Amino acid sequence: MDGRTILTGAAEKWRGMGSTQKVAILLLAVALVVTVFYTGSYIQQANFAPLFTQVDPQEAGPIIDRLDAMKVPYRLTDGGSTIQVPKNKVYEARIQLASSGALLGGGIGYELFDRTKLGITEFEQQINYQRALQEELRRTIVQLDAVEQARVHLVIPEKTIFTEEQHPPSASIALKVRLRSELSSAQVKGIVALVSGSVEGLNPENIHVIDMRGQVLSEDISADSLSGVALSQQEVRRAYEKELEKRVLSLLSPILGPNKAVAMVTADLDFRQQESVINVPTGDTKVVSEHEIREESEGTGTGGAPGTDTNLENPPVYPAVGGETSQSHSREERTTNYHVGTLVETTVQPPGQLRRLSTSVVVDGPVSAAVAEQIQNVVSVALGLDSERGDQVLVSSMTFDTSLQQQLEEDMATAEAAAKERERAEMIRNLIMAGALLLLLLIGLVLIVITAKRRKPIISVKEAEGPSPNPGSVIVSGKIGPLGTVISVSEDPDADLSAEQRDIRELARKKPEDVAQIVKLWLADK
């Protein structure tokens, strides 16, 4: 049986159907097409997975062109910023895109020098090197989790033989931070160190980093070292205070209830580093050495008049007045060395010593004096306060303003209710669609069954009259059946026909070939 015969038979069956049956079949076909469409869409959506998310249009173009060349089906969602491919081709597509260079973000790095050009000047070579270096730095920076996109601009002055005329290089970096992300000062410092180490002669103070809102991120890094040390000390002090505040709240929350107390701690820390050395004698003294000197002398001499004449070469001679005199000298010196044991004590005081601690606790609602005193004692012991050091704790009671918190809770409840309502509406819509499709299928089946029952001929069974050719059998349309009965149509199909129509029908039964030939001639004439 060929296709033409099948089509002809189907057309004849379609013409032989009633209008009700045709409508039922059409409804059934429409329901089947809609069901297949939605089922296929759901299956196709379930089989797709994100290949890349948050893709810029400039980067999405080469990726889509490459996917078309690879004959990989894809879908664009989230306004074109997300590219989805079949789940079983995600990793294969990423590898092929990476190897083809479609993921380079549209820039050209050191692969710019893979293409050799003849006749290129030194200036063009320098510009190409600067472009390639900028792109390579950009590719490295965007690997950070918090950075979505980056632009790097380098200023590399031309080298000269005159040192006084040589200008230092500089760099500017613009960063696009991902949503709900933030770059820490350590990460910005790392970016500055990366660029500084990649460009010859580039100092960190000549590198400027900004975000897309125009905020300077490298301002703290370019500050002097003293400011950096002071900032670090403030961070240490604040971290210590927050830890103490957390301990106080964790102690009071089970007693007063959550969000019923607020604690603030102020710590006075000494960041000076001191080192002291003390030598303490210890043990018994012992004589190590002893030295003694004694001198004695005696003699006589002539004295003269003191003055200028005594120092002349030929002074005048005068008779002695006093005559001879006697002289004597005596000196005694004694030295004793002792050995004494020495104990050397070196004390190093690390920075960050606590000098004073002040704590303030505010409790929600009225609190009696006895309860306030108990809270003060508990907090003092928990923090290890020292009255001699000047530590103090203050407990007071005030009524908290919770209007903002209530507003936030109401907004969150409203958003949650709206989300649940959307989910419920989505579920109802899906159920309605499924129910409508099922109802269409049921209606189609019922109409087909009803139409088939209406077109079924009514057959009555009656006993055969007269002697049967074979007792115990029936005659069906001229045939003998079992049970000795005759099955015949209740109505004669030729009862309403005229004599001419009956003759034509009889002729068609006896000579069907001749009747068919006559009908063909009639159709040919028309």
Side-chain angles (χ1 to χ4, degrees):
M1 182 180 294
D2 56 357
R4 185 175 181 181
T5 305
I6 296 175
L7 293 176
T8 303
E12 292 179 355
K13 290 182 179 180
W14 177 260
R15 287 192 295 268
M17 295 180 182
S19 59
T20 304
Q21 192 173 7
K22 290 181 180 179
V23 171
I25 292 177
L26 289 176
L27 291 176
L28 184 62
V30 171
L32 182 62
V33 170
V34 173
T35 303
V36 171
F37 174 76
Y38 279 101
T39 304
S41 300
Y42 178 77
I43 295 175
Q44 186 179 12
Q45 183 178 3
N47 290 332
F48 273 72
L51 179 65
F52 298 107
T53 58
Q54 298 180 353
V55 182
D56 291 338
Q58 184 180 0
E59 298 179 356
I63 295 176
I64 292 176
D65 294 340
R66 187 58 185 173
L67 290 177
D68 290 334
M70 294 163 52
K71 297 182 179 180
V72 175
Y74 62 89
R75 289 173 42 182
L76 299 177
T77 58
D78 298 336
S81 62
T82 301
I83 303 176
Q84 295 182 346
V85 297
K87 289 183 178 179
N88 57 348
K89 294 186 178 180
V90 172
Y91 301 107
E92 180 183 356
R94 287 178 182 173
I95 294 174
Q96 294 184 5
L97 290 172
S99 61
S100 63
L103 302 181
L104 300 180
I108 302 178
Y110 284 135
E111 61 270 10
L112 178 65
F113 298 100
D114 295 340
R115 299 186 295 269
T116 304
K117 295 176 61 176
L118 298 177
I120 187 172
T121 63
E122 183 179 356
F123 177 75
E124 293 177 344
Q125 186 77 4
Q126 180 65 23
I127 294 298
N128 289 338
Y129 170 74
Q130 184 171 337
R131 290 174 52 197
L133 184 57
Q134 291 177 168
E135 177 60 22
E136 292 294 334
L137 290 173
R138 187 198 69 82
R139 294 178 187 176
T140 305
I141 294 173
V142 297
Q143 298 303 316
L144 296 176
D145 295 335
V147 179
E148 179 179 351
Q149 193 53 263
R151 292 292 301 273
V152 180
H153 303 277
L154 299 178
V155 178
I156 304 178
E158 185 179 359
K159 293 184 178 181
T160 177
I161 59 176
F162 301 102
T163 308
E164 296 179 355
E165 298 179 1
Q166 183 67 43
H167 299 285
S170 59
S172 298
I173 305 171
L175 301 177
K176 183 179 181 182
V177 184
R178 296 186 184 276
L179 186 63
R180 294 185 296 274
S181 298
E182 186 177 356
L183 280 175
S184 63
S185 58
Q187 291 175 319
V188 177
K189 187 176 181 180
I191 294 174
V192 171
L194 169 68
V195 178
S196 176
S198 302
V199 180
E200 181 182 0
L202 180 57
N203 296 323
E205 56 268 16
N206 293 332
I207 301 176
H208 307 280
V209 183
I210 64 171
D211 58 7
M212 290 303 169
R213 293 175 295 180
Q215 297 179 352
V216 181
L217 304 179
S218 59
E219 184 176 3
D220 296 336
I221 298 176
S222 60
D224 54 358
S225 59
L226 293 179
S227 300
V229 171
L231 181 62
S232 177
Q233 292 177 356
Q234 292 295 330
E235 292 177 353
V236 171
R237 184 180 64 84
R238 188 57 192 145
Y240 177 70
E241 293 173 349
K242 286 185 176 180
E243 179 63 24
L244 295 181
E245 293 170 359
K246 183 179 179 181
R247 294 181 62 182
V248 173
L249 294 179
S250 63
L251 176 64
L252 297 180
S253 294
I255 301 174
L256 303 176
N259 301 326
K260 291 296 183 180
V262 177
M264 183 67 68
V265 177
T266 301
D268 184 9
L269 301 179
D270 186 7
F271 289 98
R272 295 178 300 174
Q273 183 176 1
Q274 298 178 357
E275 181 178 356
S276 58
V277 180
I278 301 176
N279 296 327
V280 180
T282 182
D284 299 333
T285 58
K286 297 180 180 180
V287 178
V288 178
S289 62
E290 188 174 359
H291 181 66
E292 185 177 355
I293 300 175
R294 182 179 298 174
E295 295 181 0
E296 294 181 357
S297 62
E298 293 180 359
T300 59
T302 302
T308 306
D309 296 338
T310 308
N311 298 324
L312 297 177
E313 294 182 358
N314 298 314
V317 179
Y318 298 98
V321 179
E324 294 181 358
T325 61
S326 61
Q327 297 179 354
S328 62
H329 173 73
S330 176
R331 185 176 70 88
E332 185 176 355
E333 180 180 351
R334 187 174 183 177
T335 304
T336 304
N337 295 325
Y338 298 92
H339 174 73
V340 181
T342 304
L343 177 62
V344 180
E345 294 182 355
T346 303
T347 304
V348 178
Q349 179 180 351
Q353 292 292 325
L354 180 61
R355 291 187 295 194
R356 187 179 179 184
L357 195 64
S358 301
T359 307
S360 176
V361 179
V362 181
V363 182
D364 185 16
V367 176
S368 61
V371 175
E373 184 178 359
Q374 291 179 356
I375 295 175
Q376 182 176 357
N377 295 334
V378 169
V379 173
S380 299
V381 175
L383 297 181
L385 301 184
D386 187 1
S387 58
E388 296 181 358
R389 194 173 51 193
D391 299 347
Q392 59 180 351
V393 58
L394 176 64
V395 179
S396 59
S397 60
M398 295 181 182
T399 302
F400 291 176
D401 183 9
T402 59
S403 58
L404 179 59
Q405 183 179 358
Q406 294 177 356
Q407 182 65 31
L408 292 176
E409 292 178 354
E410 292 177 359
D411 294 343
M412 292 179 62
T414 303
E416 185 177 357
K420 291 183 178 179
E421 185 66 24
R422 287 194 298 269
E423 293 179 359
R424 183 172 174 271
E426 183 72 18
M427 182 178 65
I428 292 175
R429 183 168 62 253
N430 295 335
L431 292 176
I432 291 175
M433 293 179 60
L437 294 176
L438 182 59
L439 183 61
L440 289 176
L441 291 175
L442 292 177
I443 293 174
L445 292 175
V446 170
L447 291 177
I448 291 175
V449 172
I450 293 174
T451 305
K453 287 184 177 181
R454 288 180 178 177
R455 294 179 59 88
K456 185 176 181 180
I458 301 174
I459 299 176
S460 63
V461 180
K462 63 181 179 178
E463 295 293 335
E465 299 178 356
S468 175
N470 186 9
S473 64
V474 295
I475 300 175
V476 182
S477 299
K479 296 181 181 179
I480 299 175
L483 303 179
T485 58
V486 177
I487 299 176
S488 62
V489 180
S490 61
E491 296 181 0
D492 185 6
D494 297 337
D496 297 335
L497 299 178
S498 62
E500 291 81 4
Q501 291 176 344
R502 292 180 181 177
D503 293 340
I504 294 173
R505 176 169 291 185
E506 186 67 21
L507 180 62
R509 292 175 181 173
K510 293 181 179 180
K511 298 180 179 181
E513 293 84 1
D514 296 341
V515 173
Q517 189 67 26
I518 293 173
V519 172
K520 290 180 181 180
L521 292 176
W522 287 350
L523 294 175
D525 293 339
K526 289 182 179 181

